[in-house]
Amino acid sequence: MDVQERSMRKASTVMCWFLVLEAVTAQTAPAQTGGRALPQWLTGIIAVSGFLFLTFVLFLVKKAWCEKSGRGNVAAEPTRENESVMSNGNTYEISLDTFRSKDDDCAFDNLALGVAEDKVTAM
Amino acid sequence: MESPADKAMVNNPADIIIIVGYFIMVIGVGIWSMFRINRGTVGGYFLAGRTMTWWPVGASLFASNIGSGHFVGLAGTGAASGIAVGGFEWNALFIVLLLGWLFVPVYLTAGVITMPQYLKKRFGGSRISLYLSVISLFLYIFTKISVDMFSGAVFIQQALGWNIYVAVIALLFITALYTVTGGLAALMYTDTFQTFVIIAGAFVLTGFSFVEVGGYESLLQRYSSAVPHNVSSMEPQRYNISEHCYRPRPDAFNLLRDATTGDLPWPGVLFGIAIVGGWYWCTDQVIVQRCLAARSLTHVKAGCIMCGYLKLLPMFLMVFPGMISRVLYPDEVGCVVPEVCKQVCGTEVGCSNIAYPKLVVSVMPNGLRGLMLAVMLAALMSSLASIFNSSSTLFTMDIWTRFRPLATERELIIVGRVWVLCIVAISICWIPVVQAAQSGQLFDYIQSVSSYLAPPIAAVFLLAVFVKRVNEMGAFWGLIGGLAMGLCRLLPEFWFGTGSCIFPSNCPFLVCGIHYLHFGIILFFCTSALVLLVSYCTDPIEDVHLHRLVFSLRHSREERKDLDWEQGEKGRRAQREAEEKRRQDDDAETETEVEEKSGICHLLGRLCGGTSSSQDTEQDEPEAMDKMPDISEHPVWKYAVNVNALVMMTVAVFMWGYYA
């Protein structure tokens, strides 16, 4: 989540910068080269800003998809890490997937509940 | 084929030393890699043991793609019609990312070596995979091998004045030598070396050419006035030469041209090339095999990004020099009168194909000419070697195992090598056919044949990976329908001939009127529609057969019941029985065998990669089958690689925008 927030902020600052640049360059007089209406570097910049805008929109869509309770199988790609922790001689699996809920990709189960473990001391 | 009157022979010491040095380096790298990787197993020979890092993957992708056909074809078409042909290269920047992000994860988890094998697992049955193997081999011979060999021959003939057959046969044998012995590992390491040679040499030539023409601005100005002196017809009663046949196009410096009157219309350039590119990069054995040899998915993605950046270069290293060549030598490269052209390069259609060789021969000083020849040889040999290796993989794993399911690994490896030699012989026999064909528009020829035959394959693969509902019936009938449509256009067009500006072809408008790129787009959508229609009318394939074979199920860890399991199981059982029997026979013979093995036998065996003990190969086989290729990625590297891909796409979009 943190990583995504950071990249979103980065993308939005880049976008703002490009919009400013576009506003500034739109005021300069366009030069005529080989029958083109705009100078070549300007068409390049316009194409890039259009592309980045599209990427930004797709990114937002992807984020919104994950937050909905639908089957966003493109959104949440579970990372398979075989991490385990040793504690008091017992090995515990701490991979996130063991807790992932079957109903929803973005929800997690509490595995401690529902475990019928009655420790009874023999009388 | 005639060579020009003032051909410069590469016969001075500097050139010869460089060429000999280059060959020694290549064979050295091939031999070094021979000892690095165990080639005695199928995995080691065909997939380099799955140990390649990102830089051999990226370099090999680039070097396998760039062949001598690119040097001659891109420069020639650039000279004739401007920079739009570079769109073929720059489109690949995006397609190669599709390969790394969407297709290779599925191929890796499926655990396949060849593309027909993937289709067999995905759909079941064997007719689809057989069809794909046959048509792939067919396309290799007619669009890749013949074109690369022909281009190499044109170049060598212009530069050295050798007889075409002598030159090509020598090249083929050297290529076959290091392909046959080394397998994919040797190829990928030599490809890395050859990528350096190709890029360095091409940079040097580009530098010299720009100096000759007077800079980039000067090229922009002088190109539009690069007309030959001889423009009047020699036989006015037979033909007349109109001005647009010899005057450079006004839209020569635009990538995106008019949709109806342009020679490469912009919808075709944007979407048609993407479809053919989708076939070439995402479904073709040559390219995918290099990605499957990588160490992990992150290495694949990084290799794809590196290949993408390298694909920015051909526009500047081949297309612009081609245009410079026309500016500097308009009477030879830009010749228009048929009789003059025949004198210059041996064909009446046009001489734009000699654009690059002419530059090398005229502009480069001594010593550097030898370097450029080494560059051409590098491009030619790397592409040919890749095609030989991949076609031997296809033939061995898909066609040979169909007829001999009991074959041992050792036999498969030997068959793979023998097939390479067979293909060398077929290629040599194909030279006169290419010579006789209309060699005026080389790049057009490759791209049009690809546009008529490849879109159905691209459509089927795309749907196979992303749409679970597609089943065997749909895929098969889609392929057959697509092939029929493609042949309806391909056969008449080759029957009537492509013609030239002065003698246009009399192919009817209904058949040949639509541009080949637009036809490719139409063919793609028609095939997709047909596949989906037939699939929805027949039974679906259950999920239990599809785990790790489609994009949506690529991470699933559940047990998969392979559709080709029964077929494969019968084969495996028979193989196990044959092994048992063979081991019993071996035990009886071991005492007599040990004394008979002489020194020479042992050396030959080592060279051909057969290990003396069969136990090594046996141990490798079950391991390769049990270990499911892991497509998990370390999150930091995954993020890094995604950001890099975004940066590369941004650069690509800027270049497209700049030259649009």
Side-chain angles (χ1 to χ4, degrees), chain A residues 36 40 43-44 47-48 77, chain B residues 253 554 638 649 653-654 657-658:
Chain A
R36 292 173 194 271
Q40 290 190 291
T43 43
V48 165
E77 285 182 8
Chain B
F253 285 95
R554 69 193 184 283
K638 184 173 167 184
M649 280 200 280
V653 167
F654 178 76
Y658 189 87

Side-chain angles (χ1 to χ4, degrees), chain B residues 144-176:
Chain B
K144 295 186 192 177
I145 298 183
S146 60
V147 164
D148 277 342
M149 264 173 27
F150 174 69
S151 315
V154 162
F155 192 94
I156 288 173
Q157 221 222 3
Q158 291 280 317
L160 293 180
W162 284 7
N163 178 271
I164 285 190
Y165 289 90
V166 171
V168 175
I169 289 172
L171 279 176
L172 284 173
F173 270 112
I174 297 180
T175 313

